Amino acid sequence: MSVIVRFAPSPTGYLHIGGARTALFNWLFARHHGGRYLLRIEDTDRQRSTEPAIAAILDGLGWLGLESDEPPVYQFSRIEQHKAAVQRLLEQGLAYRCWCTPEELEAMRERARAEKRPIRYDGTWRERDPREAPAGVDPVVRFKAPLDGETVVEDRVQGTVRFANTQLDDMILLRADGTPTYMLSVVVDDIEMGITHIIRGDDHLNNAARHANLFRALGHEPPVFAHIPLIHGPDGAKLSKRHGALGVDAYRELGYLPEAMRNYLLRLGWAHGDEEIISTQQAIAWFDLDGIGRSPARFDFAKLDSVNAHYLKERADNELVTLVAPRLEAAGHRLGEPERRRLEQAMPGLKQRARTLVDLASSAAFYIQARPLPLDAKAAKLLDPAARAELARLAPVLAAVEPFAEAGLEAAARAHAERQGLGFGKLAQPLRAALTGRTVSPGLFEVMAILGREEVLLRLEDAATGRNPAMQQSD
RNA sequence: GUCCCCAUCGUCUAGCGGUUAGGACAUCACCCUUUCAAGGUGAAGACACGGGUUCGAUUCCCGUUGGGGAUGCCA
């Protein structure tokens, strides 16, 4: 039997990190088994489903490289099939109409809470004669769940989970307005789509029991379940804003690479021995349900940063220029061909120091910054009168270096420092400040070689004559 | 309240009855060094607790505690 899985987000908000991981696991599972990975938009809640949310989900999945193998299924478009399924259940006596109003149900729950009883529908209309139905109330349709015994869910992650059927009340299949609920739609669609494995968040584990009963009522055995633990924030509580509960678009904005996100997310809840850096190809080869852990994980930006730094180093220099260009342009830099070429040359030195594309853009800016270079506070402090005078003396020495390349520049600068009776460090930091406007940068001679003789001399002259403005902001 | 799930370094995790409890991130030293990274070496750091089962429990069972989830005419 070929594997068919699905990711089934509801378009009521952005695609968050937990959803992204669920999608990844499904996608990897399908790839590993040569099966199909489908996307189903669970938009049966007409009130809360929105177009922008759908767009955000599609966009996020696309960015992560988790496109589905077939066009997405919009659940609401299958409403007729859902209704037909309910009709069959009604005819078979496996479902019934219930005329309780939302207010009555709320009162029922209140009472149960007050009396510290389990909070669930009491089955009022299960046996009651429909002829007693109150006028002017549109009924919902409820599933006739088993009253006793237990429902057993064999979960590939959580093991055997048993639910007493007294815990499972008669869930609503069709709302009073005739639209299907999630409980019904998932099952009908999973059957229709031929889903073989359901990999989803732990928060659905309870539902799995209800789903299993519905599957059987509809004449099918449930698929294989695998409920993966949820992702928590750094404090162990629910994921909250600023702590990872961001849309995946936010991660893109923060400068993370999709391959880094995939790797990090994969390791959140899944392991293959001690492996940490796992390429997508390798992940496909290795991914299995057995590797999924049962305990929830906390989201950790520090680890994500480190994984991202790794993948940044692996990216081709020209790709990084393209990735960083919009950020530099947004910061007000003009990027023509010469600038792009210079950045590409500089990339090997820059990328090994960056953890995110934000870092990378920030550290790359000085290469294409128009003169005179703004100085950050520390750099400005370094360029005191003595240092400026020293740079003025150094300039002609550097000007004479031929060719204007790393080795010769370094030899000349070191020789100069020695002649002046300076430690090289004493010369290097002011030089760095003059050339980059900062106290931190790639190697000085690499920077010089990339900037070129003319630009280096102009920047030195700016510094020597105190022409540089103070930097407005840190980046 | 009721039901369900979970529990190894700060974090992600390996472990699947007998290990000096391993790795990664973060942290701290030291090395390298023109700064910062990177890299190298090293350090510190965990089996929540209590009962069983067993010759032997991190590992199996039960309980406690602590987290989390569900309890919607949301998904």
Side-chain angles (χ1 to χ4, degrees):
Chain A
M1 180 182 65
S2 173
V3 162
I4 305 177
V5 295
R6 47 45 166 204
F7 173 54
S10 68
T12 53
Y14 46 55
L15 174 63
H16 62 83
I17 206 68
R21 188 188 57 164
T22 301
L24 174 66
F25 281 17
N26 276 286
W27 185 86
L28 287 172
F29 187 71
R31 288 286 167 283
H32 178 84
H33 290 285
R36 278 183 298 156
Y37 159 78
L38 311 179
L39 178 64
R40 186 172 68 223
I41 304 292
E42 310 236 308
D43 55 354
T44 52
D45 184 341
R46 304 315 289 167
Q47 258 70 50
R48 300 200 298 170
S49 297
T50 68
E51 280 301 324
I54 292 174
I57 289 167
L58 260 23
D59 188 53
L61 290 173
W63 177 66
L64 283 169
L66 303 178
E67 267 121 356
S68 58
D69 296 329
E70 291 173 19
V73 171
Y74 290 86
Q75 193 159 56
F76 186 68
S77 72
R78 301 190 18 84
I79 185 170
E80 292 311 320
Q81 285 91 319
H82 302 155
K83 287 181 175 175
V86 171
Q87 196 50 45
R88 287 200 301 279
L89 292 172
L90 243 16
E91 285 161 8
Q92 294 168 76
L94 295 168
Y96 62 95
R97 290 189 175 78
C98 163
W99 280 269
C100 285
T101 63
E103 294 72 32
E104 285 172 318
L105 292 173
E106 185 45 45
M108 191 184 295
R109 281 191 283 269
E110 260 328 305
R111 238 177 296 127
R113 252 190 294 273
E115 294 167 24
K116 298 192 188 301
R117 285 183 293 107
I119 300 161
R120 62 183 73 89
Y121 177 64
D122 62 7
T124 303
W125 288 94
R126 184 171 172 124
E127 302 301 340
R128 193 163 164 190
D129 191 333
R131 279 172 302 190
E132 295 174 28
V137 175
D138 291 324
V140 300
V141 176
R142 287 183 182 270
F143 179 60
K144 198 176 275 186
L147 293 174
D148 45 35
E150 62 178 14
T151 297
V152 178
V153 173
E154 293 295 345
D155 193 274
R156 282 296 306 275
V157 174
Q158 309 292 348
T160 302
V161 186
R162 327 181 83 93
F163 296 88
N165 284 333
T166 51
Q167 293 295 326
L168 277 22
D169 61 359
D170 292 346
M171 63 209 175
I172 293 177
L173 266 19
L174 238 40
R175 302 187 182 93
D177 66 3
T179 59
T181 62
Y182 157 82
M183 288 290 178
L184 192 245
S185 307
V186 226
V187 174
V188 173
D189 289 347
D190 281 341
I191 290 172
E192 163 67 24
M193 292 163 79
I195 301 302
T196 58
H197 300 255
I198 295 178
I199 304 170
R200 74 213 325 175
D202 219 347
D203 49 339
H204 285 292
L205 185 54
N206 289 272
N207 288 337
R210 301 168 201 272
H211 292 165
N213 287 142
L214 233 195
F215 269 103
R216 297 196 177 99
L218 256 11
H220 291 263
E221 269 309 295
V224 175
F225 290 112
H227 288 91
I228 62 184
L230 302 178
I231 298 173
H232 294 163
D235 53 356
K238 226 187 216 165
L239 224 38
S240 61
K241 273 245 166 61
R242 198 71 262 176
H243 279 163
L246 306 163
V248 298
D249 59 307
Y251 291 89
R252 174 165 31 176
E253 196 51 43
L254 288 167
Y256 296 104
L257 261 15
E259 62 268 36
M261 292 300 293
R262 288 196 298 267
N263 194 150
Y264 175 72
L265 255 17
L266 174 64
R267 288 289 291 104
L268 221 46
W270 180 87
H272 184 84
D274 283 339
E275 300 293 337
E276 295 287 349
I277 296 297
I278 304 168
S279 72
T280 300
Q281 277 315 304
Q282 192 57 257
I284 290 170
W286 282 341
F287 189 81
D288 56 4
L289 265 20
D290 294 330
I292 300 176
R294 277 149 307 170
S295 52
R298 301 188 187 197
F299 191 89
D300 181 19
F301 272 107
K303 180 78 172 265
L304 208 211
D305 280 352
S306 135
V307 173
N308 202 57
H310 171 87
Y311 285 98
L312 233 27
K313 292 183 188 79
E314 289 200 336
R315 278 282 189 137
D317 298 324
N318 62 341
E319 287 177 4
L320 289 173
V321 172
T322 301
L323 287 167
V324 125
R327 295 173 192 273
L328 287 168
E329 279 167 346
H333 298 280
R334 287 201 332 275
L335 270 134
E337 259 319 299
E339 284 79 14
R340 296 182 71 97
R341 271 201 305 277
R342 184 181 281 177
L343 285 179
E344 188 170 333
Q345 277 186 282
M347 236 7 121
L350 293 172
K351 69 183 177 186
Q352 67 172 309
R353 293 173 163 78
R355 296 170 83 74
T356 67
L357 290 172
V358 174
D359 291 350
L360 193 59
S362 156
S363 65
F366 81 87
Y367 271 116
I368 56 168
Q369 175 76 49
R371 300 184 26 253
L373 232 51
L375 261 32
D376 74 17
K378 286 183 195 156
K381 199 172 173 194
L382 234 32
L383 289 174
D384 57 24
R388 290 199 261 161
E390 197 51 54
L391 290 180
R393 281 192 288 277
L394 175 64
V397 175
L398 295 178
V401 173
E402 190 62 49
F404 201 78
E406 280 191 52
L409 287 165
E410 175 155 11
R414 285 188 186 279
H416 176 80
E418 200 166 327
R419 278 196 302 277
Q420 299 297 314
L422 290 171
F424 180 63
K426 274 297 214 185
L427 183 63
Q429 277 308 80
L431 186 51
R432 169 168 284 113
L435 258 19
T436 71
R438 304 185 168 206
T439 53
V440 172
S441 81
L444 273 180
F445 305 105
E446 172 186 337
V447 167
M448 283 192 242
I450 292 167
L451 286 175
R453 189 190 318 262
E454 188 186 354
E455 182 70 17
V456 166
L457 293 176
L458 288 168
R459 290 188 183 196
L460 284 180
E461 190 185 319
D462 285 342
T465 56
R467 270 202 288 265
N468 304 277
M471 195 174 277
Q472 292 305 306
Q473 45 190 6
S474 55
D475 57 353

